[in-house]
Amino acid sequence: MEIVLISLLNGFVYGMLLFMLASGLTLIFSMMGVLNFAHASIYMLGAYAAFDVTRLIGFWAALIVAPVLCGAIGAAIEIYGLRRVHHNGHIAELLFTFGLFFIFERGVQMIWGMLPVPYRVPPLLDFALFRVYGSNFPAYRGFMLLISGGMLLSIWLLLTRTRIGLIIQAALTHPNMVSSLGHNVPRVFTTVFAGGCFLAGLAGVIGGNYQITEPTMASALGPIVFVVVVFGGLGSLMGCFIASIIMGMIQTFSVIIDGSIADLVKGFGVSIPSDNLLGEILNVPGSRVGPLLPYALMILMLLVRPRGLMGNRDT
Amino acid sequence: MSAATTQTTAVGRFKGHGKTWLWVGLVVVALALPWVFFNYQTGRHSGFVLTMLSQAGMMILFALSYNMLMGQAGLLSFGHAVFFGLGGFSTIHFLRAAGNGTLPVPMELMPLLGGLSSLGFGMVFGAMVSKQRATAFAMITMGIGELVGASAIMFHSFFGGEGGVNADRMIERSLFGVNYASPVQVYYLIVAWTVIGVVGMLFLTRTPLGAMANACRDNFERAQFMGYDPRRVRFFQFALAGGFAGIGGALHAITYEIVTFDAVGAGLSANAVLMAYIGGSGTFYGPILGAVLITLMQSGVSLMSNSWLIYVGVMFIGIVAFAPGGLAGMIEIHGPIARAGRLTRLIVPYIRLFFPAFAVLIGFIGLVELMSFLTIGAAQGKTLELFGNKIDVKAALPWLVSLGCLVPGGLWLWFESRAFGRVWDRLTEDLKERDR
């Protein structure tokens, strides 16, 4: 029971982190049709920028400076890059961000080196918030929940209570109609792209010291974020939220499952040898299958319901 | 530039049969190349050159088969290495079976077996992906790529885990009595199968399937109205592309006698995208250019510098932004001018473009290398050397020289490229006038 509760908490923290990345990506993807491959690279950049700002000024300054920097980079990518290739179609835009992904990965290695950087939790937040069944729940995870929850609330307020939010919502489902009504859709695009990158940068600031700040963090997290976006469905922030939490829970709960399918049938007196491929697949413990489950779920979702969990149109 | 110019004039002049002779000439060059780098003192082939040429052969098959999806069917796949790798793993197991006598197949037909197994895998996965197109297709192929890539590390009986699977290629069974002990014999096997694969894929573009793949790429709804099922077209195209990639994977297995999880990994899948797009996905021969260029860069540049990824990334982005047709597109665009015999008018503008472009290149490479030696090189204990002189990466001079090349060079290039654009526009205007 205790391990279930702790995993539930951890899964929620991880899911919220995923949502911070995926919410920006899903807004960009739904409006512009661009699947931004460099989105996780912006997350990585946010973590590295936060590391540098923390070293120079302090963590609280990093919490503001790094996301703003990432938002500015996002705006620059949209204005100087994506607009230029826009007339060549969505594939060209996707490939443009695909190229950016390589440059960011190598650029980060060139500036900060190949090894992880010591970006740590600030001492002010480095204590145990409460104890559940004898194990500590770090205060920093509570802080992460606070930040991501606050972000969720402000996004919701922005989208439903402000004029720009209404235009964004309209552009999500009917981009052509919005431009016909005389709104400056390219500027809305830039705003959303910069906003998405701001959120990714913020996720990098609070996620970089929760996980490890290293050059491979973008390629490790990037595919999972895509899975969340496709699984949640186009044009739906709610679907994206549910998908993020599901993926977060899968990642944390699979770690604690030791058994395999072979163990399951062993109870019925059947033993499966693991010397061939099928036997091996059946004998793999759940904890090792965990990282694969999101991809399997995404493939299943695309086969059964291509519009995703709560999407309003096909991917 | 001059090579590209002569090639286009050659194509222009001998239209029709000229292209066939160009292909034959390329095969002759491929056959002769190992002897150009033959060391007559020691009586040995250059191992480095042979490995590079062999690698280029496999990558040509890989990139061309990828372009069956991207260029010809408009399907962006991020998991094409799955079929390259599975073909390789199957071939390794066939080689082991042949080695202990249970599989009486001659060496020359091993790539066919590898290709057929990949075709089988292509049909299985093709049934799953063929319902999708556009971004959903990219995502589902990425998912399959990640699944197979992770499985390759996890399962030992087929993939060998982290160590991979190895085999001995000297199976003592051959159609021509060759034992494939030396790399040059393997190289000729690769040339033969690359030619078979290229001809096969060229043939496929002339079949109704190839035409329908193009139709479904350009307007799949219209293709549907005409009574064709885009799903079936995608399925066949996907499975066949997998099969040809499998031949490449089989050649990989035969050359290196080991296949590891890298062969199905996301890195190789990304390479397929880079090769096909940089070479030019709009033409049949584009990916061949891309495969050769990327292989040369990968083995040549990585000897001198460890930042080849950033060069490829910048080149890729530059091509996406400025020349969506890739290298082949840049060659093709000179076609009408060459046919009109006006290509000589572009020589001077190109020379004027060359100098600022060269300065920008030098400045950019300088900055990248200085930067990477400041961090990565220092961590590895390496020092930057240029023509035998050690360069202090912490001194101001090399940075200033690089910046001095990059910034004024960039401005100069911008100025010259506008002038070049004016010359180009006037030339195409003239051609239009003449046609009228």
Side-chain angles (χ1 to χ4, degrees):
Chain A
M1 187 59 219
E2 53 183 272
I3 197 144
V4 171
L5 191 66
I6 293 168
S7 299
L8 214 61
L9 273 170
N10 284 337
F12 195 62
V13 171
Y14 188 62
M16 287 300 269
L17 186 71
L18 278 180
F19 178 65
M20 291 186 77
L21 275 168
S23 55
L25 191 63
T26 205
L27 282 179
I28 294 169
F29 186 30
S30 315
M31 279 178 71
M32 308 166 68
V34 185
L35 199 55
N36 182 10
F37 255 84
H39 204 70
S41 307
I42 301 285
Y43 162 77
M44 172 168 73
L45 224 55
Y48 273 99
F51 164 68
D52 266 358
V53 176
T54 306
R55 226 174 18 173
L56 295 174
I57 311 171
F59 178 74
W60 306 106
L63 205 55
I64 296 164
V65 173
V68 169
L69 191 73
C70 290
I73 291 172
I77 291 173
E78 210 280 326
I79 294 170
Y80 297 110
L82 290 179
R83 274 190 199 177
R84 181 181 286 282
V85 298
H86 183 74
H87 59 92
N88 292 328
H90 289 328
I91 296 283
E93 290 177 302
L94 196 154
L95 288 174
F96 185 82
T97 59
F98 184 64
L100 280 182
F101 170 80
F102 287 108
I103 294 179
F104 277 129
E105 180 165 307
R106 190 64 202 178
V108 161
Q109 286 177 2
M110 270 167 38
I111 298 171
W112 286 281
M114 315 271 273
L115 299 172
V117 293
Y119 176 37
R120 298 197 200 296
V121 172
L124 188 66
L125 289 167
D126 201 9
F127 61 95
L129 193 63
F130 54 85
R131 291 170 71 84
V132 241
Y133 298 107
S135 54
N136 290 329
F137 186 76
Y140 191 69
R141 290 190 190 163
F143 174 72
M144 285 173 70
L145 277 181
L146 198 72
I147 292 279
S148 46
M151 179 223 84
L152 181 64
L153 190 72
S154 40
I155 273 202
W156 183 73
L157 285 177
L158 184 81
L159 284 181
T160 52
R161 294 283 185 274
T162 63
R163 191 178 156 73
I164 180 86
L166 287 179
I167 298 171
I168 289 174
Q169 269 195 317
L172 277 179
T173 45
H174 301 90
N176 293 330
M177 193 66 214
V178 172
S179 91
S180 308
L181 285 173
H183 292 288
N184 189 350
V185 171
R187 205 170 67 199
V188 178
F189 279 0
T190 310
T191 315
V192 169
F193 204 90
C197 289
F198 177 90
L199 289 181
L202 187 61
V205 178
I206 63 169
N209 44 11
Y210 165 68
Q211 293 178 315
I212 306 164
T213 305
E214 56 182 345
T216 55
M217 67 195 282
S219 46
L221 200 61
I224 303 280
V225 180
F226 287 151
V227 169
V228 169
V229 168
V230 172
F231 194 83
L234 266 185
S236 162
L237 272 177
M238 199 59 208
C240 176
F241 179 71
I242 295 172
S244 306
I245 300 298
I246 290 176
M247 294 303 157
M249 294 295 172
I250 286 175
Q251 300 264 321
T252 44
F253 270 93
S254 62
V255 178
I256 60 172
I257 299 170
D258 246 349
S260 62
I261 300 173
D263 292 337
L264 211 68
V265 295
K266 213 176 266 171
F268 302 102
V270 188
S271 76
I272 299 169
S274 64
D275 53 352
N276 56 7
L277 187 60
L278 187 69
E280 239 188 320
I281 290 175
L282 294 176
N283 269 299
V284 159
S287 52
R288 294 193 62 193
V289 182
L292 293 185
L293 275 180
Y295 303 110
L297 276 181
M298 177 181 74
I299 293 172
L300 212 65
M301 181 61 96
L302 283 173
L303 287 179
V304 181
R305 192 181 152 84
R307 60 180 46 192
L309 215 51
M310 299 179 75
N312 51 24
R313 58 181 185 272
D314 280 2
T315 309
Chain B
M1 192 51 237
S2 64
T5 318
T6 45
Q7 196 185 357
T8 7
T9 38
V11 171
R13 203 174 301 147
F14 310 105
K15 191 134 181 70
H17 293 294
K19 275 193 178 159
T20 320
W21 285 111
L22 197 69
W23 287 107
V24 172
L26 277 177
V27 174
V28 171
V29 167
L31 289 175
L33 264 180
W35 303 97
V36 176
F37 296 96
F38 190 73
N39 188 338
Y40 290 94
Q41 253 110 46
T42 56
R44 275 192 195 172
H45 286 281
S46 158
F48 174 72
V49 171
L50 266 184
T51 314
M52 200 162 74
L53 290 173
S54 307
Q55 181 73 20
M58 312 160 201
M59 286 300 128
I60 285 174
L61 283 180
F62 186 47
L64 272 180
S65 69
Y66 182 73
N67 205 41
M68 283 178 69
L69 298 174
M70 180 161 90
Q72 288 157 27
L75 298 167
L76 195 62
S77 162
F78 283 109
H80 200 55
V82 165
F83 303 105
F84 184 86
L86 285 178
F89 277 113
S90 309
T91 310
I92 279 283
H93 289 291
F94 291 140
L95 280 178
R96 286 169 82 113
N100 60 33
T102 45
L103 185 76
V105 171
M107 190 64 174
E108 286 80 8
L109 294 182
M110 279 293 172
L112 183 66
L113 279 188
L116 286 177
S117 3
S118 271
L119 184 68
F121 287 116
M123 283 157 78
V124 173
F125 290 126
M128 289 160 73
V129 303
S130 60
K131 204 168 130 190
Q132 320 292 341
R133 34 171 238 106
T135 314
F137 183 88
M139 286 298 102
I140 198 167
T141 48
M142 187 198 79
I144 288 172
E146 295 280 340
L147 270 183
V148 176
S151 311
I153 303 177
M154 220 186 280
F155 302 121
H156 287 259
S157 50
F158 184 74
F159 298 107
E162 306 228 341
V165 193
N166 57 352
D168 189 357
R169 69 165 170 246
M170 279 144 84
I171 55 173
E172 306 293 331
R173 202 185 286 272
S174 163
L175 290 177
F176 310 108
V178 187
N179 65 359
Y180 295 101
S182 72
V184 73
Q185 290 167 334
V186 179
Y187 174 69
Y188 283 125
L189 183 70
I190 291 176
V191 172
W193 272 101
T194 306
V195 170
I196 294 173
V198 171
V199 170
M201 281 185 268
L202 188 63
F203 170 73
L204 272 180
T205 59
R206 313 252 162 107
T207 58
L209 175 69
M212 281 321 294
N214 288 353
C216 291
R217 170 195 64 191
D218 296 333
N219 195 337
F220 79 103
E221 278 164 335
R222 180 120 186 236
Q224 248 171 333
F225 280 132
M226 282 160 62
Y228 288 93
D229 183 3
R231 276 188 70 171
R232 274 183 60 191
V233 174
R234 282 197 284 266
F235 171 76
F236 284 123
Q237 196 77 2
F238 190 81
L240 285 168
F244 281 110
I247 296 178
L251 295 174
H252 176 94
I254 292 168
T255 312
Y256 301 111
E257 300 180 294
I258 184 167
V259 180
T260 61
F261 62 90
D262 281 335
V264 292
L268 193 63
S269 294
N271 247 357
V273 184
L274 295 177
M275 288 189 296
Y277 201 87
I278 288 177
S281 55
T283 53
F284 179 78
Y285 66 90
I288 301 181
L289 291 181
V292 172
L293 182 76
I294 297 280
T295 312
L296 285 182
M297 274 184 77
Q298 230 161 0
S299 33
V301 177
S302 64
L303 278 185
M304 294 177 275
S305 150
N306 49 16
S307 359
W308 85 274
L309 203 62
I310 212 158
Y311 299 128
V312 171
V314 169
M315 187 163 80
F316 182 71
I317 282 198
I319 284 191
V320 171
F322 298 106
L327 297 176
M330 286 194 232
I331 295 173
E332 291 289 313
I333 206 170
H334 290 81
I337 300 171
R339 276 193 289 281
R342 304 267 177 91
L343 216 49
T344 44
R345 288 211 201 162
L346 282 174
I347 293 174
V348 175
Y350 265 122
I351 291 174
R352 287 183 56 173
L353 213 51
F354 172 79
F355 289 103
F358 190 71
V360 169
L361 192 70
I362 292 288
F364 176 70
I365 291 176
L367 278 186
V368 168
E369 290 303 314
L370 284 171
M371 196 76 176
S372 68
F373 270 94
L374 200 61
T375 52
I376 303 166
Q380 292 170 342
K382 285 185 195 159
T383 48
L384 180 59
E385 276 184 37
L386 195 65
F387 306 122
N389 300 314
K390 282 210 172 103
I391 291 173
D392 182 15
V393 292
K394 290 209 172 73
L397 184 68
W399 291 85
L400 284 178
V401 169
S402 303
L403 271 177
C405 281
L406 186 64
V407 177
L411 287 173
W412 186 14
L413 183 64
W414 179 74
F415 183 73
E416 284 293 340
S417 59
R418 283 177 53 136
F420 183 82
R422 280 195 294 275
V423 173
W424 184 274
D425 287 345
R426 210 178 310 137
L427 211 55
T428 41
E429 272 308 305
D430 280 1
L431 289 185
K432 270 186 208 149
E433 285 289 319
R434 213 186 50 164
D435 287 344
R436 216 177 281 154

